Amino acid sequence: MTTLIASAARKLARGGKRRICFPLTNRAYYGRSQLLIRKLHAHPEIELELMLGGSILLDKYSQHIADDIEAGGFTISASLFNVIEGGNHVAMAKTACLTALEFTNGLHAINPDVVIICGDRFEQLAIAMAAAYLNLTVAHIEGGDVTGSIDESVRHAITKLAHIHFVTNEDARRRVLAMGEDPGYVFNTGSLDVELAARVDTVLAGDRVNSHGVGHAVDISQPFLMVIQHPVTSERDNREHLETTLRAVAMLDMPTLWFWPNPDAGTAEMAESLRHFREQHGAATEKMRFITNVPADEFVAMLRQAACLIGNSSAGIKECSFLGTPVVNIGGRQQGRLAADHVVQVGYDSEAIRSAVVAQLRHGRYAASHIYYQPEASQAIVDVLAGAELYTQKRFHEPANH
Amino acid sequence: MTTLIASAARKLARGGKRRICFPLTNRAYYGRSQLLIRKLHAHPEIELELMLGGSILLDKYSQHIADDIEAGGFTISASLFNVIEGGNHVAMAKTACLTALEFTNGLHAINPDVVIICGDRFEQLAIAMAAAYLNLTVAHIEGGDVTGSIDESVRHAITKLAHIHFVTNEDARRRVLAMGEDPGYVFNTGSLDVELAARVDTVLAGDRVNSHGVGHAVDISQPFLMVIQHPVTSERDNREHLETTLRAVAMLDMPTLWFWPNPDAGTAEMAESLRHFREQHGAATEKMRFITNVPADEFVAMLRQAACLIGNSSAGIKECSFLGTPVVNIGGRQQGRLAADHVVQVGYDSEAIRSAVVAQLRHGRYAASHIYYQPEASQAIVDVLAGAELYTQKRFHEPANH
Amino acid sequence: MTTLIASAARKLARGGKRRICFPLTNRAYYGRSQLLIRKLHAHPEIELELMLGGSILLDKYSQHIADDIEAGGFTISASLFNVIEGGNHVAMAKTACLTALEFTNGLHAINPDVVIICGDRFEQLAIAMAAAYLNLTVAHIEGGDVTGSIDESVRHAITKLAHIHFVTNEDARRRVLAMGEDPGYVFNTGSLDVELAARVDTVLAGDRVNSHGVGHAVDISQPFLMVIQHPVTSERDNREHLETTLRAVAMLDMPTLWFWPNPDAGTAEMAESLRHFREQHGAATEKMRFITNVPADEFVAMLRQAACLIGNSSAGIKECSFLGTPVVNIGGRQQGRLAADHVVQVGYDSEAIRSAVVAQLRHGRYAASHIYYQPEASQAIVDVLAGAELYTQKRFHEPANH
Amino acid sequence: MTTLIASAARKLARGGKRRICFPLTNRAYYGRSQLLIRKLHAHPEIELELMLGGSILLDKYSQHIADDIEAGGFTISASLFNVIEGGNHVAMAKTACLTALEFTNGLHAINPDVVIICGDRFEQLAIAMAAAYLNLTVAHIEGGDVTGSIDESVRHAITKLAHIHFVTNEDARRRVLAMGEDPGYVFNTGSLDVELAARVDTVLAGDRVNSHGVGHAVDISQPFLMVIQHPVTSERDNREHLETTLRAVAMLDMPTLWFWPNPDAGTAEMAESLRHFREQHGAATEKMRFITNVPADEFVAMLRQAACLIGNSSAGIKECSFLGTPVVNIGGRQQGRLAADHVVQVGYDSEAIRSAVVAQLRHGRYAASHIYYQPEASQAIVDVLAGAELYTQKRFHEPANH
């Protein structure tokens, strides 16, 4: 199976280093992986190659990422524009396929020893598939959780393509083992997001907050809300669900930082509904600021200081478990995910959302939970990636009790 | 998420019928699925759409398939050329990506209620991914087995994207449940291949056999061997492994029907090694005939009449379990798959292969095993596909004992 | 070169009809082609197949197009999402490639006798290439003009792939012949845009105008400006060029309908610059309304009533030549295109633009020019498409005087 | 239009060098471009980047190319597997599209000053399109000729996308100018193929000849024939046409070196017909040897020593014009190409071919023609590429007499 030299990169002497490729396709993953990326880059036995694709190349925050990357001296092996417009299922599926096609070329050229796959986004499964087909070792971060949306299928399918598993909690570890993975390669390292949340001590300044996004200035000296509500690809009423939340938040009449959803299937109609609501209920949005993205440390600072987080983001389940921020989680997107006491679950119902928030505000902050927390998550991952014996042929490990 | 009309097909009144799409990408899957296809087509509540892609469009046997399809009055919704040349891992991975991209368009246009995914080939996972991202219900046939090669990863990843599971044996059922699938949607129907094998009563005629393939005429009135050895994508020595088998078979000096491997990663070098061996050891191949493919019923007839099957084909494990044909299975491709007594496992070692075959020839045929057999596999699948309540949002079902 | 049945469509008896495929990728082309589409659809000897792709599937105006198409009873053979996000050259190039890939499948399935390629957009060349490689006859509308931008290369490259040429003026006819095309297949039919402009008698109502787009309400009972400035892909200063125009228009302080540019390379930065200007110079935009698109007849009505059209749109050169609307054309995009007296050409200079507009306002409307006008353009095209003998093998026709 | 860093390559200081990218997709182009590649590589002001794609990665000759490339110290920037199997028009069209998609990524990463496009193959137009859309300067070698097949359309479409033109003869120069190209950028440098043919002094050894290909050994001490007959994509009878030639050559009963056709649309059926003929008329092929490819210098040596070249290869028109080898050119593929006296044109007719060959054998070798010859073609091209002022915005240059 020799082929012509794919690129100069393949020929580089590695000097005994392990070459690790980290495909970054989403600003959220970049944000939460900063500690990991820095430690991989600094490791004397590791040669780190970052590959960029997907939506990370499209938003303005990318400039920030590019600056970070340059400042860090990291190598970017490829930048691949492969997001297909449409904001619907077809565009999402085709984006995944095109991403896989292009990363195949990139991975073939780089020929890494390990490819890191993060989380449960649709394009990450596509890259995992490409990597597995290239007979490369795949390391997966954040497997074994259960949630709703297509993420639920994506996450477990990645698990079954991956060789090394970094899970964030014991429930997840149990599930990954039940699915037949090798116990010697399943590591509960805790969550990178929570490790970052625990380390960040950035304090929010009002001016800085209002330098992000569009809409009205928000007074963060007052108790304020954060909203992050992503589309749920397996549901058909995303637009209606968003409007339900908009109505609830309008009723609460508090300063609100509203984060724009991910560019997934369903985004187009959510964007439409946000715009529509702003036009129809201008007054109701007078205390809202709409933000696309902020640096990871500022995001943590916002989470820490918010009076309540509303929506369906994993940050509500994970980071907030440690930070103690009250959370009102809406709908099925996080369905089944291990959650601490700080989370109140509600359905798509304006009044239910409103009253749950009121109750959470009354309760105030929670004690820190450590269900997702280990102090050295990133270091634990690096240690395994640097030292574990690598393999490619998977075998189904029957749990011991069978 | 409304889009413009994708095609006339989307708008067709379905008359209450369930639209089921069956992507066919490989002649072997078509062969073993014939009973299923006919029953789906005949069912009054089902509208069957066949989509063709991958290698099924490339081999000459396709004409036979096309004739079958036309004779059966089936609808072919799309024919997509998407096999990328190279015969290596890169070409395999890119073929999968391109297949997924094109089937996304096709599935979007057809908008089926269910997509049937068969087995564990790399392009079938790609199609399953596309279908899942389009929020369609995926039904998987032959999940839960364990084997070697990339097939092992592919099969289980499909399971985690699929909603309805048709497994062929109880071990497989147990594993699919361990992986968190809904017990109400996991059906042990037995194997379609074995059902077909049990029904076929074609008797081999020598002239007919020698009308297939190239090489020397084979005298099937004598005890003869069959060889089917596919590349193992996760191994690097496919060429050497094939030559090991070639040497063993040459030593046995018996009439031999040698089947050409699948067009997967590794094919190119296996083709090279077959050609090389024929040129160097012309005499040693004097009793060999090299065959690309034959109609499914003739294949079964050959299996039934062969004195021994050698290689790493699933037909050795499945069909032959029922037919009682002795099998010498080589290397890791079928590693871990449930097997009856008729299978002797050996490594990549000419002498070991030769002596295992000699022992099998001495033993002669085995009694029929029913581990993969149920008399009405295809009907059972059709009944579920026609009647089961369909869903798309997956949930991880924790096994009862946790 | 027989292949398996590509689709049901290929097998349909055509009843002696000529099957003509019209790929629509852009709302502007759809707008100006309405008369042609209706006549093709109504023709008893023609079977029309519309294929949709590119940006036409993405904007909200699509709903209008879909309604039209359904009302007209047209057949849409395929809807292909293939616009890659980025708004830069890479995204544009990859969009073209993906478009060509997907239209290849579509054209192969439809197997038309003729494929109509319109104008000079980058994805139309890609489709023309696909059609030519499929050995189909290509008919090109609007070849032979000269302009700036990448359009200049695209247009002539399409000419060299096309078999039947419908040009809009005698200069264009001369150039198409100079390029070696067969004189028997080059037809000066006049411009479809101008034919439509001549037929539309819609009168603008202020309410209707202000129902489109965003920004301030515009008082069209006053003399008003229209601005349409597209990016020029071969220039690197699109953002600066746009701001130059913004400053000039702000100085003119008149009601202004500003049309959003095409989704081409350069759009992203133009969008950025529009947003930036609006934020920085809010007051200066108080008389501006920003419009994405309007139905074709309303567009003509706006052109007819505008006091002056500013920018680099072909509508300034073509439709306005007949309508007599004064035009200030900026920069190199229309460089070299045949223009009547109503066009004043200026460079990227705010003061030059401003004073040219002032001069045009002083001059007022021009007499109708017929350089692009023939009363029955669409009928002439239909007659040729229905009756011309079709061919695929091109030959270079040396002009007579050599 | 700034994007994130596409690759390390983009950031490399060029030290004032002009970066020139040469996409190689076909072994024939590599063969004839060897002198050019070496001179580009050696030039102190040029940084040469080779990109490999298409069929050049697939044939066994690639190893030879790879060795050459490594021995020469050249940089290969990318190796892209993008040939889609099928051997028909659809596969050809999709191969072109996929090639363009992947080369867009490669060219974006490399960011060259000039992209060299060679000849008239379908994938070269696709790459030219990608390069033009990326706003890069395109240099085209061998424009302006006229021939049959799809090549005729492809060649002129490339001309209309290219900025610098290297033609091989005065007729071609006249046509390129007629098509509106800038006279300052059209250079008649003569043919690279012929320059190479003039420089090669390799003498054929029988053993060496018979080390290539398969079939019977050929005695080259006897007068022998060469056959090179490619499919003609715009014709539907390629298989029949090939069999016509096979019959003619069989009647001539001379030692024959038969070159396998290019992997274009039509190849599959030609391969079929060759195999069929060999099986049916084994005796008739007893003096034939079937060769896929040989190093460029040996190819020239064969051409020089052959008693007659039969088929439709441009080598018959170009190299043989200088070498004086008699040529019988069959059918429309080279229709209209400037030819010297050594070419006899015949139709698809066995008897006509046979008698034309007999007449040519009687005539014997021709005097060298210089219609395609200039002694320093490669140096002339390098000088222009190193020194010409580069531009991207094309303008149609009206010929002086208008």
Side-chain angles (χ1 to χ4, degrees), chain C residues 78-121:
Chain C
S79 287
L80 301 162
F81 286 84
N82 40 35
V83 176
I84 293 173
E85 282 196 74
N88 53 25
H89 286 119
V90 193
M92 178 179 97
K94 289 167 74 169
T95 296
C97 303
L98 187 57
T99 303
L101 185 68
E102 300 197 331
F103 273 83
T104 299
N105 285 327
L107 291 172
H108 175 57
I110 293 169
N111 196 22
D113 298 297
V114 182
V115 180
I116 300 177
I117 298 295
C118 233
D120 48 26
R121 280 183 56 83

Side-chain angles (χ1 to χ4, degrees), chain A residues 1 174 234 269 393 398, chain B residues 1 174 234 269 393 398:
Chain A
M1 210 159 314
R174 179 173 45 76
S234 49
E269 55 186 13
Q393 176 61 60
E398 307 272 354
Chain B
M1 211 159 311
R174 177 172 46 76
S234 49
E269 53 187 17
Q393 176 62 61
E398 306 271 356

Side-chain angles (χ1 to χ4, degrees), chain C residues 62-77:
Chain C
S62 296
Q63 198 49 52
H64 173 81
I65 292 176
D67 292 347
D68 261 29
I69 286 170
E70 296 210 334
F74 306 135
T75 303
I76 298 182
S77 311

